[in-house]
Amino acid sequence: EMFDTWHGRWVVCPPMPARRSGSTASLLPDGRIMLVGGYNEKGIAEGLLASCDVFDPAAQRWAEPNTAAPLARARWGHGCAS
């Protein structure tokens, strides 16, 4: 889901390509949102992610897999700035 600040309500979005927690999200200059790293349902011991997913809120769709290069090392709980 995504919060629509204009209308003050949550709206349904397409499911994420990779389930993740402990990731970061940054707004890109073109208005898309990049989710970076985190971990999946296997947890921080076995499920760390180096992948990045990109969401286009205007088009309401996720970019094709591997659109963004993965991190050199999987990580979670990190910071991210745009």
Side-chain angles (χ1 to χ4, degrees), residues 13-80:
C13 295
M16 294 171 58
R19 293 169 42 167
R20 60 180 73 226
S21 182
S23 59
T24 59
S26 289
L27 182 63
L28 300 175
D30 64 3
R32 296 179 303 158
I33 301 166
M34 179 180 283
L35 277 73
V36 179
Y39 57 90
N40 61 21
E41 61 274 1
K42 294 179 182 176
I44 60 173
E46 297 179 16
L48 288 180
L49 300 171
S51 62
C52 302
D53 291 322
V54 179
F55 183 71
D56 184 343
Q60 287 290 299
R61 67 181 179 90
W62 291 94
E64 293 296 319
N66 302 317
T67 296
L71 299 169
R73 187 182 77 193
R75 63 190 74 219
W76 71 279
H78 53 285
C80 196

